[in-house]
Amino acid sequence: MNHKEWIKNQFTGKMMKVNYRNALIHFSLIESFLRNKAQKRTFDLANKTLLCCGLTTSEEFCIFEKIRLLRNEIIHKLFLESLGEKDINKKVNNLMKDILFAYKKSEFLKKNLIEKYEIKL
C-alpha cells in the first residue's frame, strides 16, 4: 500500500496490526517507566536525567535515544515523508527489535522493571 492507501485503511474499522500496536505499547512502557523514575515530563529529559544521576549508563542512554528517535520517525514523519506500508513496516520492525534489545541489554530496565514485575523474556 502506498501512503494514501495505508492512511485510508486505518479508518476501515480493521484493528491495528499487532506489530504496530506492540511496538507502540512497548515504547510507551519504556517511556513511561523512565519518565516516572526520573520524574520528568519528556522521554528525552528523563533519559538525560537518569544518565546524569548515574542511574543508567551511556550505553543505555544511547539505546533509549535510538528507540526515541525511531519512534518519532514513525509517529511524526508519517505524513511529512508520506511513508507507505513497506517503509512503515520496516521502521516498526526495527523499533521492536531495538525495544527487545533494550529489555535484554539494559541493567536499569532489568533490575527495575523486568525483575520487579517478574517478566519472562
Side-chain angles (χ1 to χ4, degrees):
M1 269 181 261
N2 64 29
H3 175 72
K4 185 175 180 178
E5 292 166 335
W6 188 88
I7 296 297
K8 186 176 179 180
N9 192 48
Q10 302 313 302
F11 291 90
T12 62
K14 297 178 182 177
M15 293 292 291
M16 182 187 289
K17 284 189 175 183
V18 173
N19 59 336
Y20 300 154
R21 185 187 67 228
N22 285 348
L24 294 177
I25 287 171
H26 281 277
F27 174 84
S28 294
L29 285 171
I30 292 172
E31 177 185 25
S32 297
F33 183 73
L34 267 65
R35 287 174 53 199
N36 185 52
K37 287 291 185 183
Q39 298 182 0
K40 299 297 179 185
R41 290 179 38 126
T42 67
F43 184 54
D44 181 44
L45 191 52
N47 194 19
K48 289 174 183 173
T49 300
L50 293 170
L51 176 63
C52 289
C53 292
L55 296 174
T56 58
T57 64
S58 58
E59 183 179 13
E60 289 170 308
F61 173 86
C62 291
I63 292 168
F64 298 143
E65 181 66 4
K66 184 177 178 186
I67 290 169
R68 183 185 72 81
L69 292 173
L70 187 51
R71 179 267 189 188
N72 284 351
E73 279 186 40
I74 295 166
I75 300 300
H76 299 297
K77 292 186 179 181
L78 181 66
F79 281 97
L80 291 174
E81 296 180 1
S82 298
L83 297 176
E85 183 178 25
K86 182 179 177 183
D87 291 327
I88 293 168
N89 285 340
K90 183 178 178 181
K91 288 182 184 293
V92 168
N93 289 337
N94 287 339
L95 177 59
M96 204 58 217
K97 285 178 191 172
D98 290 344
I99 288 169
L100 290 172
F101 181 75
Y103 285 147
K104 292 176 181 177
K105 188 73 173 173
S106 170
E107 289 299 320
F108 179 75
L109 289 179
K110 196 177 294 180
K111 182 176 92 178
N112 295 291
L113 180 66
I114 305 300
E115 291 174 359
K116 182 178 179 179
Y117 290 90
E118 300 175 357
I119 298 168
K120 304 279 186 208
L121 292 179

